[in-house]
Amino acid sequence: MAWRSVLLIDPVASDSPREDYADTFHSVAPDAPALRVGDLSAQRGDGVFESLGVVDGHPQEVEPHLARLRHSAALCELPEPHLDQWRAAIARVAADAPAGESVIKLILSRGVEHGPGPTAWVTLADAPDSARARTEGVRIATLDRGYALDAPARAPWLLLGAKTLSYAVNMAAIREAKRRGADDAVFVTSDGFVLEAPTASVVLRFGDRFITPEPHAGILHGTTQRSLFAHLAQRGFETAYETVPVADLQRADAAWVLSSVRLAAPISAVDGEGKVVDRAITAELNAYLLSPRD
Ligand code: PLP
């Protein structure tokens, strides 16, 4: 990934009445050392993050990403982020974005062990090329996440539904999917229901009806899926959150994995069985997702 800007942030308290944050931001060269080795994000993956798509300098869906950052921080009992400060940091790095697609990451770490408070930073990097995934699609392998559908209610300390920095499991799932000849994974519950991909939400189409797994089932509520559902509803399609049996991945007329940077990638195979890619509607969905969205 080609990094363009790195901005370290001195987080201010969420109730700070400040209006200017310039002195709380410190630009560092993308290849310069910037973190203490004792930072708990590095030691334990103890922190939360967000990845926003940027199209021609416009950061997409800033408010939904900030709301989710705050929600993840609350689930992890991290100090509440001051959203105006984060908005200002996003605007500052977005100003460096070139034409085309980039990625902004927001990272809030618990900070150095026994240190004064959280550490935080924002980065801007070039987006990876998703053209092939958006047109040809991705082959997915379903992988058991090892939890039943009711796990989030029974075990809230698993932090299911928070976007934490602990993505080693998610990355291991993608490697396992690749070992199985697929491009990406879709996690399913031990009792046979669809959850999400390791870095994306799952949306299925049955006729004029679009469905996605219920977010209370311990998945991250995707900003892209929400934005797309609002758009589809405006176009007269029905949208719904449901409990989705695994067999529906193959039964659906079409299916996608959706995320902020790759956007809508149609699912072209499920566990080695081919699935028809609806190129026309996929192109329409991606045209919408690439338009400026707030
Ligand atoms: N689910 C997981 C586990 C993710 O990591 C992501 C995004 O990174 C998503 C879903 C999709 O979320 P969004 O559309 O907000 O990018």
Side-chain angles (χ1 to χ4, degrees):
M1 192 175 268
W3 301 96
R4 289 192 177 257
S5 307
V6 176
L7 195 64
L8 301 181
I9 301 176
D10 297 330
V12 297
S14 61
D15 57 357
S16 164
R18 255 173 192 267
E19 287 186 1
D20 184 63
Y21 303 95
D23 65 324
T24 67
F25 298 150
H26 313 280
S27 275
V28 292
D31 55 354
L35 268 191
R36 305 261 300 271
V37 288
D39 197 278
L40 289 166
S41 59
Q43 296 272 355
R44 294 193 174 140
D46 193 354
V48 297
F49 78 107
E50 283 296 320
S51 297
L52 288 69
V54 182
V55 182
D56 293 333
H58 179 83
Q60 302 279 53
E61 301 279 334
V62 170
E63 294 309 314
H65 281 287
L66 287 177
R68 195 169 61 189
L69 184 77
R70 180 160 59 183
H71 177 67
S72 298
L75 291 175
C76 295
E77 297 173 62
L78 286 164
E80 186 180 342
H82 190 305
L83 297 192
D84 270 348
Q85 186 184 29
W86 287 89
R87 277 183 201 106
I90 293 168
R92 172 114 163 227
V93 298
D96 297 335
E101 294 180 54
S102 318
V103 188
I104 288 178
K105 279 199 172 199
L106 318 178
I107 293 147
L108 174 62
S109 153
R110 198 172 303 278
V112 176
E113 196 158 15
H114 311 303
T119 45
W121 63 99
V122 174
T123 62
L124 172 77
D126 292 340
D129 184 358
S130 300
R132 197 179 151 78
R134 288 177 195 161
T135 49
E136 305 299 312
V138 289
R139 298 162 297 175
I140 61 104
T142 56
L143 297 182
D144 185 353
R145 201 174 219 174
Y147 311 134
L149 203 58
D150 65 349
R154 282 190 299 112
W157 46 87
L158 292 176
L159 300 177
L160 300 168
K163 194 165 168 72
T164 76
L165 289 168
S166 313
Y167 261 45
V169 167
N170 304 44
M171 297 300 107
I174 294 174
R175 291 194 297 275
E176 176 61 24
K178 289 189 171 164
R179 265 194 294 278
R180 296 184 186 195
D183 306 300
D184 203 350
V186 167
F187 287 124
V188 300
T189 64
S190 54
D191 42 359
F193 298 100
V194 177
L195 290 170
E196 61 187 341
T199 62
S201 315
V202 174
V203 167
L204 308 181
R205 178 184 184 182
F206 291 93
D208 283 347
R209 197 157 186 272
F210 288 78
I211 63 163
T212 194
E214 177 61 62
H216 300 302
I219 60 177
L220 200 69
H221 197 173
T223 59
T224 318
Q225 170 268 312
R226 270 193 279 192
S227 170
L228 193 71
F229 269 26
H231 171 70
L232 289 168
Q234 247 186 359
R235 292 191 45 202
F237 291 104
E238 193 187 337
T239 61
Y241 292 94
E242 289 188 356
T243 302
V244 181
V246 177
D248 278 5
L249 284 170
Q250 197 50 267
R251 231 168 44 82
D253 298 324
W256 295 268
V257 280
L258 289 182
S259 52
S260 297
V261 177
R262 191 172 56 184
L263 304 179
I267 294 178
S268 61
V270 178
D271 295 330
E273 215 177 305
K275 188 161 184 67
V276 174
V277 166
D278 187 335
R279 283 176 179 260
I281 191 153
T282 301
E284 265 181 59
L285 301 184
N286 279 317
Y288 163 70
L289 293 171
L290 284 165
S291 67
R293 291 179 289 127
D294 289 317

